[in-house]
């Protein structure tokens, strides 16, 4: 048969060749290793070196973690139990757990309140983060800040109610006046809100907080990781809208608005956050009459919000600049006014482009909330550096405590990062 | 067809009046003493070399560009710096761009319903019905739920036309609508525009499609260096141009 084939071009297949498995080395883990780990001799050497480094690191840390002690009263007891062996003293985490989460002054009988606020936060954030959820959930989101304030700091329920009433009055006035002009609606809303807050402030009796349903907690008493969460959530959610306003203001045709925004952004960006925090903690009280000093927590929130909104404004400005001019012209040519064009056409696209940048700043901001430890607030780092490490029981437990703080921050920041990547995929409509 | 086109009805009613209009970009005098009256139902093709100010002229009509002297009156509304007047004129005047400028984050249907819903306050359902009507007219109703990025250039330009029509404009401006398209797609867009012209839409069209001008226009305007150099009925304009500048331009674009 082979003879005939060797001499003629014509060929007819008479039997099918059965499918055979590929050779062992061309599939599966062997192939993967050959391509990715040992493609060339140099590559193989690097792989071996990397494996060695990984082994050294794990060999150092794994016994330390595995031998960890979880149930002693002090570092000295840990050392006794370990008796010279390598091992971590995680007891500090279990023994000081509540302090790490809530600070050392928050009343223990109220610990459920910040925990409940945290749970509510996930419910409130869900409709904002996942817009496939029913829109009615946004009511929870709108009410959450007031509920959270009341849960965490307690006192009379009238305070958050008056705050809420102010916003409601502002929204109502805005709806009424915005048909005339946006500026009328905007300033009318601000004035209405301030009137309600001022009048409400007079009406709340000074003794209202004494026998309140939820006992009042001074704002300085909240500490630990809850303080970081509170600062992070408040500042991020305030600085994104403020950043959008600043970015739009910087592009405005009105010179006054434009220059106010430019000067604000350039000034705030040119100053280190830590100096702003010192201003908040020390200097600002000089500018207020002694009896009416703003709460320190509020001052810090204002400073961090201003700081990050300047950065967010610049990121969003980049997004706005990346949009083709044709998008503005198409919106204009259809007769959309400025607010409609921005809200429906420009910002949805500009914000989508800016997501990685905004998330970058949000993550940075969240970690920067630990800087408040420098101005004497007891956030998680402040707790570790202050009351815990300074105590005689736990003096010297650095790795366990700072490692724990890092893990907490890592979990939150990695979550934010994963969410933003999901969001980018979800919003991709350009089909490139 | 050419005769049929010129016989299409042009009323005596005036749609656009431009008087002594001048515009500068900085110190560059880009439009000089433009006088132009457009009757309702008239179809005008504007041609000329690049940089002659033809796009700028039609962009002044819906205030995408600001003019510094003279007056523009659209449908009896004087174009001034008053935002109310500008928004009114823009909602009456549809515009198609060279690069379509569809909104990439919205579906085709949402592109078409956005302005009726927000500017005209049309109920969503009614706006969607109108949008489907016009999408059928430009022959792409089956793409309604896709995003612009999934459509070909010709399809995108037809969506852009439908998007403008959804506002029920009385005047349509076309700014080089076929210049960014492949030859095959030019035809589908021109067919849509011809159909629109046959229904009596007032159209101002900046284009280099001279076949389209011959077939549809009842006036061709030639611009150079920011001025209207010559205008005439298409037959006379193409067969017997008067100005030497027009003769040169026509010989160059019709030469091959």
């Amino acid at each position: 048969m082979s003879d005939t084939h060797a001499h003629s071009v014509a060929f007819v297949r008479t039997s099918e060749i059965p499918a055979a498995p590929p050779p062992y080395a061309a599939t599966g883990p062997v192939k993967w290793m050959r391509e990715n780990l040992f493609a060339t001799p140099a590559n193989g050497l690097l792989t071996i070196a990397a494996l060695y480094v990984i082994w050294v690191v794990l060999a150092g840390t794994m016994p330390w973690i595995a031998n960890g002690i979880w149930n002693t009263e002090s570092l000295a007891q840990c050392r006794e139990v370990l008796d010279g062996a390598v091992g971590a003293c995680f007891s500090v985490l279990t023994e000081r757990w509540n302090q790490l989460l809530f600070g050392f002054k928050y009343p223990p009988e109220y610990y459920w309140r910040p925990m409940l606020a945290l749970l509510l936060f996930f419910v409130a954030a869900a409709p904002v983060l996942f817009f496939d959820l029913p829109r009615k959930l946004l009511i929870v989101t709108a009410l959450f800040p007031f509920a959270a304030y009341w849960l965490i700091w307690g006192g009379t329920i009238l305070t958050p109610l008056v705050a809420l009433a102010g916003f409601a009055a502002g929204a109502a006035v805005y709806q009424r006046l915005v048909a005339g002009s946006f500026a009328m609606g905007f300033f009318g809303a601000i004035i209405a809100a301030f009137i309600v807050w001022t009048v409400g402030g007079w009406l709340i009796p000074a003794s209202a907080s004494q026998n309140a349903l939820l006992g009042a907690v001074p704002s300085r008493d909240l500490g630990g990781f809850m303080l970081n969460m509170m600062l992070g959530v408040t500042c991020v959610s305030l600085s994104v809208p403020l950043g959008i306003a600043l970015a739009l203001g910087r592009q405005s045709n009105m010179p006054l608005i434009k220059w106010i925004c430019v000067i604000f952004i350039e000034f705030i960006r040119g100053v280190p956050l830590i100096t702003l925090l010192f201003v908040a903690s020390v200097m600002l009280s000089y500018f207020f009459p002694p009896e009416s000093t703003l709460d320190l927590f509020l001052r810090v929130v204002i400073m961090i919000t201003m700081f990050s909104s300047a950065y967010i404004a610049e990121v969003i400005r980049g997004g706005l600049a990346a949009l083709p001019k044709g998008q503005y012209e198409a919106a204009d040519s259809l007769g959309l006014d400025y607010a409609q064009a921005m809200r429906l056409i420009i910002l949805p696209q500009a914000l989508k482009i800016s997501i990685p940048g905004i998330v970058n700043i949000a993550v940075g901001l969240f970690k920067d909330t630990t800087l408040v430890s420098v101005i004497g607030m007891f956030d998680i780092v402040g707790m570790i550096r202050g009351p815990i490490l300074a105590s005689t029981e736990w003096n010297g437990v650095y790795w366990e405590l700072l490692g724990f703080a890092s893990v907490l921050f890592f979990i939150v920041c990695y979550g934010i990062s994963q969410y933003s990547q999901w969001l980018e995929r979800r919003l991709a409509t350009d089909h490139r | 067809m050419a005769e049929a086109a010129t016989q299409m009805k042009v009323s005596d009613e005036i749609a656009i009046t431009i008087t002594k209009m001048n515009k500068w970009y900085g110190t560059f005098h880009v439009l000089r003493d433009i006088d132009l009256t457009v009757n309702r139902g008239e179809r005008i093709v504007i041609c000329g070399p690049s940089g002659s100010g033809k796009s700028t002229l039609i962009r002044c009509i819906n205030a995408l560009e600001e003019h510094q002297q003279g007056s523009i009156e659209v449908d009896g509304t004087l174009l001034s710096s008053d935002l109310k007047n500008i928004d009114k004129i823009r909602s009456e005047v549809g515009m198609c761009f060279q690069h379509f400028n569809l909104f990439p984050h919205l579906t085709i249907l949402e592109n078409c319903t956005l302005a009726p819903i927000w500017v005209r306050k049309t109920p969503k359902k009614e706006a969607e019905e109108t949008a489907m009507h016009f999408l059928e007219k430009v022959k792409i109703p089956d793409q309604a739920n896709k995003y612009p990025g999934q459509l070909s250039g010709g399809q995108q330009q037809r969506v852009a036309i439908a998007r403008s029509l959804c506002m029920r404009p009385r005047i349509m401006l076309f700014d080089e609508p076929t210049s960014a398209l492949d030859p095959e797609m030019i035809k589908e867009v021109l067919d849509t525009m011809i159909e629109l012209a046959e229904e009596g839409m007032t159209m101002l069209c900046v284009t280099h499609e001279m076949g389209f001008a011959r077939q549809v226009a009842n006036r061709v305007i030639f611009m150079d260096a920011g001025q209207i150099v010559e205008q005439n009925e298409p037959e006379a304009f193409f067969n017997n141009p008067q100005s030497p500048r027009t003769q040169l331009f026509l010989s160059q674009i019709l030469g091959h």
Side-chain angles (χ1 to χ4, degrees), chain A residues 276-397:
Chain A
L276 288 178
L277 290 176
F278 275 120
V279 167
S281 80
V282 187
M283 308 266 292
L284 271 188
S285 26
Y286 293 134
F287 296 107
F288 291 100
E291 63 276 10
S292 73
T293 42
L294 268 164
D295 186 73
L296 177 65
F297 178 80
L298 192 58
R299 280 182 271 159
V300 167
V301 164
I302 291 172
M303 284 302 178
I304 299 182
T305 302
M306 289 199 324
F307 186 76
S308 54
S309 66
Y311 279 87
I312 289 181
E314 286 299 279
V315 168
I316 293 175
R317 190 167 70 96
L320 289 170
L323 282 193
K325 200 164 152 254
Q327 292 291 311
Y328 293 85
E329 291 178 349
D332 283 346
S333 75
L334 286 170
L336 297 170
D337 62 29
Y338 176 79
Q340 289 170 338
M342 288 301 140
R343 190 159 83 79
L344 301 167
I345 308 297
I346 305 303
L347 282 178
Q349 299 183 58
L351 290 178
K352 190 174 96 181
I353 302 173
S354 321
I355 289 172
I358 294 177
V359 167
N360 195 15
I361 288 163
V363 165
L365 180 157
F366 180 59
K367 292 183 297 179
D368 281 353
T369 57
T370 52
L371 283 177
V372 299
S373 63
V374 177
I375 56 164
M377 288 175 93
F378 291 101
D379 75 312
I380 189 163
V381 173
M383 283 305 297
I384 291 171
R385 291 187 343 140
I388 299 180
L389 280 179
S391 67
T392 43
E393 296 94 338
W394 302 114
N395 193 349
V397 199

Side-chain angles (χ1 to χ4, degrees), chain A residues 10-327:
Chain A
F11 167 72
V12 178
R13 181 170 301 286
T14 49
S15 63
E16 194 180 330
I17 301 173
Y24 180 68
T27 59
V30 174
K31 172 172 179 270
W32 183 86
M33 281 172 67
R34 195 176 269 179
E35 279 180 4
N36 293 292
L37 300 180
F38 301 101
T40 62
N43 207 323
L45 277 179
L46 280 177
T47 300
I48 290 166
L51 283 175
Y52 176 72
V53 171
I54 293 172
W55 183 79
V56 168
V57 170
L58 288 183
T61 51
M62 278 303 141
W64 184 75
I65 292 173
N67 280 347
I69 309 293
W70 291 87
N71 50 10
T72 55
E73 299 282 303
S74 69
L75 182 59
Q77 287 185 14
C78 271
R79 291 201 172 122
E80 244 168 65
V81 175
L82 283 169
D83 196 20
V86 174
C89 186
F90 293 121
S91 322
V92 66
L93 302 181
T94 49
E95 209 245 350
R96 296 293 174 105
W97 178 253
N98 285 326
Q99 284 193 358
L100 286 167
L101 291 193
F102 304 104
F104 67 111
K105 274 198 205 144
Y106 201 86
E109 65 272 26
Y110 294 155
Y111 281 160
W112 62 273
R113 283 165 35 181
M115 286 315 278
L116 181 60
L118 186 66
L119 285 179
L120 278 180
F121 165 71
F122 290 116
V123 180
V128 178
L129 300 182
F130 304 99
F131 29 76
D132 295 326
L133 292 173
R135 297 289 78 194
K136 285 204 175 118
L137 272 174
L138 281 173
I139 298 174
V140 180
T141 314
L143 295 179
F144 171 74
F146 309 99
Y149 172 87
W150 190 51
L151 277 172
I152 292 174
W153 288 297
T156 169
I157 195 172
L158 290 175
T159 312
L161 284 185
V162 165
L164 181 59
F167 281 107
V173 169
Y174 176 78
Q175 289 287 341
R176 185 70 57 81
L177 292 183
V178 76
S181 82
F182 174 76
M184 277 237 301
F186 182 71
F187 290 111
I190 291 179
I191 293 167
F194 268 100
I195 291 174
V196 171
W197 287 331
T198 319
V199 174
W202 289 334
L203 291 181
I204 300 175
S207 59
S209 284
Q210 281 165 10
N211 291 316
L213 185 61
L214 295 182
V217 180
S219 80
R220 289 213 60 154
D221 289 1
L222 181 68
F225 193 62
M226 268 306 166
L227 179 62
N228 295 110
M229 287 294 282
M230 280 296 296
L231 283 172
V233 169
T234 322
C235 295
V236 168
S237 41
L238 290 177
S239 59
V240 170
L242 190 60
I244 293 173
L246 283 170
L248 292 179
R250 193 170 184 163
Q251 290 208 324
S252 170
N253 292 327
M254 289 177 258
L256 184 67
I257 293 184
K258 180 177 174 166
W259 284 110
I260 290 176
C261 293
V262 168
I263 291 170
F264 179 90
I265 293 171
E266 296 300 338
F267 174 73
I268 297 284
R269 274 202 316 171
V271 175
L273 176 58
I274 197 77
T275 56
L276 288 178
L277 290 176
F278 275 120
V279 167
S281 80
V282 187
M283 308 266 292
L284 271 188
S285 26
Y286 293 134
F287 296 107
F288 291 100
E291 63 276 10
S292 73
T293 42
L294 268 164
D295 186 73
L296 177 65
F297 178 80
L298 192 58
R299 280 182 271 159
V300 167
V301 164
I302 291 172
M303 284 302 178
I304 299 182
T305 302
M306 289 199 324
F307 186 76
S308 54
S309 66
Y311 279 87
I312 289 181
E314 286 299 279
V315 168
I316 293 175
R317 190 167 70 96
L320 289 170
L323 282 193
K325 200 164 152 254
Q327 292 291 311

